[in-house]
Amino acid sequence: MTDIRPATPDDLPGVMALYRQLNPDDPVLNLTAAEPVWSALLSSGFTTPFVAEVGGRLVSSCTLAIVPNLSRGARAYGVIENVVTDIDHRRIGLGRAVLQAALDKAWKADCYKVLLATGSRRESTLRFYEGAGFQRDAKTYFEVRRP
């Protein structure tokens, strides 16, 4: 049975395992260092990590941030980050399911839009996001990273 839901404090090890697949070159973060960040994510009121659990194992996740906003009639906007599905559980709808859970929460919060960026250039990944309702080339996206 598949359970799509907001993450809980106990989900930290499973989410961290998924993130190793998402960014394998990142430094390994131990649970002690990760726990305060995870707690802040879960309790901030602005962010909601969503997970897909199959047979007691987390196999997909994404995080939604809802950002208060003074433009667009003071309607918030959403940002989705860290979309990942375990390599052995791809192409069965779990990634789309966690994205849909995030979108549902954003629309219930009256967000006027939801943004998602990907560093992938793979056409299959881009089509996956389009299939989940996101538009490619709707806006120009820029980023700057800390030097």
Side-chain angles (χ1 to χ4, degrees), residues 16-53:
M16 289 180 59
L18 286 170
Y19 287 179
R20 294 298 314 145
Q21 291 184 42
L22 180 64
N23 298 304
D25 296 329
D26 276 2
V28 175
L29 186 63
N30 67 48
L31 283 175
T32 302
E35 285 172 348
V37 177
W38 186 240
S39 179
L41 276 167
L42 296 178
S43 66
S44 74
F46 294 106
T47 55
T48 306
F50 288 91
V51 295
E53 183 177 11

Side-chain angles (χ1 to χ4, degrees), residues 1-8 10-19 21 38 48-63 82-102 128:
M1 184 170 126
T2 302
D3 187 22
I4 310 298
R5 58 177 173 73
T8 67
D10 293 338
D11 291 326
L12 176 59
V15 169
M16 289 180 59
L18 286 170
Y19 287 179
Q21 291 184 42
W38 186 240
T48 306
F50 288 91
V51 295
E53 183 177 11
V54 175
R57 180 174 171 222
L58 295 189
V59 295
S60 189
S61 182
C62 73
T63 297
N82 297 326
V83 180
V84 59
T85 299
D86 177 76
I87 195 165
D88 295 328
H89 291 84
R90 292 181 184 164
R91 299 189 184 277
I92 59 173
L94 298 171
R96 187 171 294 187
V98 294
L99 283 174
Q100 190 59 56
F128 163 74

Side-chain angles (χ1 to χ4, degrees), residues 98-127:
V98 294
L99 283 174
Q100 190 59 56
L103 289 171
D104 289 346
K105 182 174 178 87
W107 304 147
K108 285 178 187 164
D110 198 30
C111 290
Y112 82 95
K113 71 177 177 182
V114 175
L115 308 168
L116 180 148
T118 180
S120 177
R121 301 285 186 247
R122 289 192 324 241
E123 191 60 31
S124 61
T125 301
L126 303 178
R127 282 194 310 270

